[in-house]
């Protein structure tokens, strides 16, 4: 299947506001009771309708896949665009940063960025500030932003939250059992998936905890209004949100 991401109510985005970090999508979710049908449900319903029209569903071959894929992509076309460059809405599940000792300091270290990645970092900072995801702010202490090159040469930014993570109350949200998932799909002839992207950019941080997200870069210090890569509780928050949605 094609790649997609998650739960922003204003999607797809017009071309002139497309994200420079990938032409991905957002699953439309509303806090109201009449929220739109999730993509997973639409895919299941679509598959059943195709099966009813096919008198011999067991005759599915690889030649059928392009047609099915095109049909499914049309069914979920509203979530296959880039995410809007704006702050995501608050959901029933938002990310919190519960510190054990709020007065414990973080050891200061100077941020570095390879010269080859500096232009990409400047573009990302400009984009994230314009979207409201990051906020430039003078702070007393901050974690370090790491600039890591991906295999294709693109920039990956990760906040070194190791000191903060040691001072955090851990979220014990259980993750899905991988063995159970494999057992459920092992006998299927074909497998498909939706590859979510820009997921943390679509999860809001509790306003009371934004002050705990401070990080430093080569051009200054910032606060984050979205979940940061490097936060030990980020995967648990995302899993909890996915469980609540689906």
């Amino acid at each position: 299947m094609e790649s997609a991401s998650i739960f922003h109510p204003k999607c797809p985005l017009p071309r002139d506001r497309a994200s420079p970090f990938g032409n991905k999508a957002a699953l439309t979710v509303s806090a109201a009771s009449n929220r739109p049908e999730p993509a997973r449900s639409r895919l299941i319903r679509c598959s059943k309708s195709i099966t009813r029209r096919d008198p011999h569903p067991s005759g599915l071959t690889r030649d059928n896949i392009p047609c099915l894929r095109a049909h499914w992509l049309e069914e979920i076309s509203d979530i296959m665009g880039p995410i809007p460059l704006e702050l995501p809405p608050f959901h029933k599940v938002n990310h919190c940063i519960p510190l054990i000792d709020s007065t414990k300091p973080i050891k200061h270290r100077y941020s570095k960025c390879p010269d080859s990645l500096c232009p990409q970092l400047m573009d990302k900072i400009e984009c994230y500030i314009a979207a409201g995801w990051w906020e430039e702010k003078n702070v007393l202490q901050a974690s370090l932003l790491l600039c890591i090159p991906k295999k294709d040469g693109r920039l990956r930014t990760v906040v070194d939250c190791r000191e903060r993570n040691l001072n955090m109350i851990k979220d014990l949200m259980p993750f899905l059992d991988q063995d159970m998932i494999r057992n459920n799909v092992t006998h299927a002839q074909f497998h498909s998936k939706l590859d979510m992207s820009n997921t943390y950019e679509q999860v809001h941080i509790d306003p009371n905890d934004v002050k705990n997200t401070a990080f430093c870069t080569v051009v200054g210090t910032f606060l984050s209004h979205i979940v940061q890569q490097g936060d030990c509780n980020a995967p648990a928050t995302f899993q909890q949100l996915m469980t609540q949605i689906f």
Side-chain angles (χ1 to χ4, degrees):
M1 288 294 296
E2 196 74 19
S3 297
S5 59
I6 58 170
F7 47 79
H8 201 293
K10 295 181 180 179
C11 189
L13 186 71
R15 292 182 180 272
D16 60 340
R17 295 184 59 196
S19 169
F21 305 107
N23 185 23
K24 307 293 184 172
L27 173 59
T28 306
V29 172
S30 170
S33 58
N34 59 342
R35 65 182 186 182
E37 183 180 14
R40 178 185 175 190
S41 301
R42 279 182 283 168
L43 285 173
I44 294 174
R45 174 172 52 80
C46 178
S47 300
K48 289 181 179 179
S49 66
I50 293 175
T51 302
R52 285 195 296 269
R53 293 196 298 269
D54 185 359
H56 304 290
S58 60
L60 180 66
T61 66
R62 292 185 180 276
D63 295 336
N64 303 124
I65 293 178
C67 179
L68 292 174
R69 181 175 179 273
H71 185 82
W72 285 330
L73 289 178
E74 181 180 356
E75 284 285 316
I76 60 173
S77 59
D78 59 316
I79 67 168
M80 297 308 294
I83 66 171
L85 295 180
E86 57 187 36
L87 275 173
F90 286 101
H91 302 288
K92 292 183 178 179
V93 177
N94 301 294
H95 188 64
C96 298
I97 305 177
L99 298 180
I100 299 173
D101 181 2
S102 60
T103 63
K104 186 176 181 179
I106 295 177
K107 183 179 179 181
H108 176 70
R109 288 177 293 163
Y110 288 102
S111 180
K112 298 180 180 180
C113 180
D115 292 341
S116 60
L117 296 178
C118 275
Q120 295 185 55
L121 177 62
M122 297 300 105
D123 290 341
K124 183 167 187 174
I125 291 175
E126 182 181 352
C127 177
Y128 275 45
I129 290 178
W133 298 340
W134 290 352
E135 172 190 355
E136 192 168 9
K137 186 88 171 179
N138 290 327
V139 295
L140 297 178
Q141 59 181 10
S143 299
L144 185 68
L145 183 74
L146 304 177
C147 298
I148 305 171
K150 297 182 180 180
K151 291 182 178 180
D152 59 3
R154 290 185 299 151
L155 171 69
R156 173 186 283 115
T157 56
V158 180
V159 180
D160 186 356
C161 296
R162 286 176 292 181
E163 290 188 62
R164 192 178 80 195
N165 290 339
L166 292 174
N167 190 32
M168 282 179 60
I169 300 173
K170 304 303 187 289
D171 191 330
L172 301 181
M173 174 69 188
F175 291 89
L176 298 177
D177 188 296
Q178 299 300 309
D179 290 335
M180 182 181 68
I181 295 175
R182 285 190 289 267
N183 290 336
N184 288 339
V185 302
T186 186
H187 298 296
Q189 183 179 5
F190 301 104
H191 301 88
S192 64
K193 67 177 181 179
L194 286 175
D195 181 19
M196 296 182 179
S197 68
N198 299 106
T199 52
Y200 285 176
E201 282 80 359
Q202 300 179 69
V203 182
H204 220 302
I205 289 182
D206 188 294
N208 295 324
D209 291 326
V210 169
K211 63 181 181 297
N212 298 325
T213 66
F215 63 95
C216 62
T217 71
V218 293
V219 294
T221 54
F222 298 83
L223 297 177
S224 178
H225 294 271
I226 55 175
V227 174
Q228 299 167 304
Q229 289 196 50
D231 189 311
C232 64
N233 285 341
T237 296
F238 182 72
Q239 180 61 59
Q240 185 178 358
L241 183 55
M242 290 295 94
T243 302
Q244 189 271 328
I245 292 175
F246 293 105

